[in-house]
Each structure stands twice: as C-alpha cells, then as structure tokens.
Amino acid sequence: MQVFVARQPIFDRLRRVVAYELLFRAGFENKFTALDGDSASRSVIGSGMHIFGFSSLTGGKPAFINFTKSLLVSGLIYVLSPKQVVIELLESIEPDEEVLRVCRELKSKGYIIVLDDFVLRSDYEPLIELADIVKVDFLEVRGEERKRIVQSLAGKRVRFLAEKAETQQDF
C-alpha cells in the first residue's frame, strides 16, 4: 500500500515557514478524496510517526493535523508531543461538553488548538475561549465577513491564520 501525506507550509508575516499542515492524500492528485476523516487523520499520524518521521516531514517545526470529534476524544493525540503537533478542530465539530472537557485537558497539557475553516457562530464562543488560532479560509470568507470576524474576536487571545491565500496579492 502506498502512503501519501501532503505537506502545506504555514508562513508568518515575514514569509518564514513556521509550521506545516499535514494532509491525507489517497494518491498523486493533490486533493482530499477520503470518505472517512478519522481514517484519514489516523493515516497522517501513523505515517508521520512510523514511516516518514515527523522531523523529516516538518524539519522540526510543528505539524498541524485535522481532528474529527471522535479522533479528538479517543486520546490518540497523547502519542504525540504538544511540541510536535497542533490540533486542528474541523468545522464539523460541535462544541458540546465532551469536546470542551477534552480541549481544556489538552490545553492544560500544552497543546495548541486551532479552529479550522472558522465562521462566526454564537455557539462557538466556548471553543473560541480555548482556541489559540482561528483559521479562516481566504477563498470562502471575503471582504466584510473577514473584517467582521477580526472585529468580533478583538480582545480575545487568538491569533489568525489565513488559509488558501495563494497569491502574492492575497498574501
């Protein structure tokens, strides 16, 4: 069986690579085609640990990995150091008590939590309080909506990450 892991660099404002997002790929085509998010993320974690090695994939920088609710609450994250992995909570995760409890525990152990494909939702307030980074899809969220997100989170301790800012003009 061939194993594919896509590696997407994450840049800071000075265009320095500060991390990589590791993504499941079923083949040579650079898009997500898996039906099961749990299996996809398990494959990325397993490949990162046992086949490639996280240090080889990321040059020692943190690896952003997508987590579904079931994967988040499974405890699998604890096989990875908070220094080598960043937890990206998929937008499909509802902020119920179990999710909030696990996120609080992860935060207490030093893990970084990212809210992926963020859009403003009032029920996400408890997760926003626990998040370190809010990741906004630059192609999906435009103009005034971007501004509204930044303004509504002013005063929170979250940092922003633009996803799919793929041109110099977007950057």
Side-chain angles (χ1 to χ4, degrees):
M1 178 177 107
Q2 289 186 313
V3 176
F4 297 89
V5 175
R7 182 181 82 155
Q8 177 74 42
I10 298 173
F11 299 97
D12 67 8
R13 290 180 183 180
L14 301 175
R15 295 188 175 119
R16 295 178 298 205
V17 176
V18 295
Y20 288 94
E21 182 171 6
L22 301 183
L23 301 159
F24 172 84
R25 295 295 181 258
F28 290 108
E29 194 173 3
N30 189 22
K31 68 178 188 177
F32 180 75
T33 56
L35 298 176
D36 177 6
D38 290 340
S39 295
S41 291
R42 275 194 208 96
S43 176
V44 167
I45 292 168
S47 297
M49 287 179 64
H50 304 297
I51 295 173
F52 301 110
F54 276 104
S55 290
S56 294
L57 285 171
T58 68
K61 295 181 180 352
F64 282 50
I65 298 175
N66 292 321
F67 278 78
T68 61
K69 178 183 177 179
S70 60
L71 197 59
L72 178 72
V73 301
S74 74
L76 178 63
I77 185 64
Y78 293 115
V79 302
L80 301 169
S81 163
K83 291 182 178 160
Q84 72 184 150
V85 69
V86 174
I87 302 163
E88 276 200 46
L89 300 181
L90 292 175
E91 62 278 9
S92 58
I93 294 178
E94 295 297 326
D96 62 26
E97 282 307 312
E98 183 178 31
V99 166
L100 295 172
R101 179 187 54 75
V102 169
C103 287
R104 283 186 205 101
E105 182 179 316
L106 291 167
K107 292 288 297 174
S108 75
K109 297 187 183 308
Y111 288 92
I112 294 172
I113 296 176
V114 177
L115 300 181
D116 191 25
D117 291 337
F118 183 81
V119 292
L120 287 173
R121 290 177 40 183
S122 59
D123 63 329
Y124 257 56
E125 187 61 34
L127 270 180
I128 293 168
E129 295 299 323
L130 295 168
D132 299 284
I133 300 170
V134 168
K135 190 173 174 185
V136 178
D137 185 323
F138 210 71
L139 294 178
E140 293 293 321
V141 178
R142 300 203 172 262
E144 287 302 312
E145 184 61 18
R146 285 185 205 148
K147 194 182 290 185
R148 203 170 7 266
I149 288 171
V150 171
Q151 289 171 344
S152 71
L153 299 180
K156 307 280 185 194
R157 58 174 189 73
V158 298
R159 292 178 288 158
F160 294 96
L161 177 59
E163 177 176 39
K164 298 179 186 161
E166 303 199 4
T167 67
Q168 289 297 327
Q169 184 178 358
D170 287 346
F171 187 83

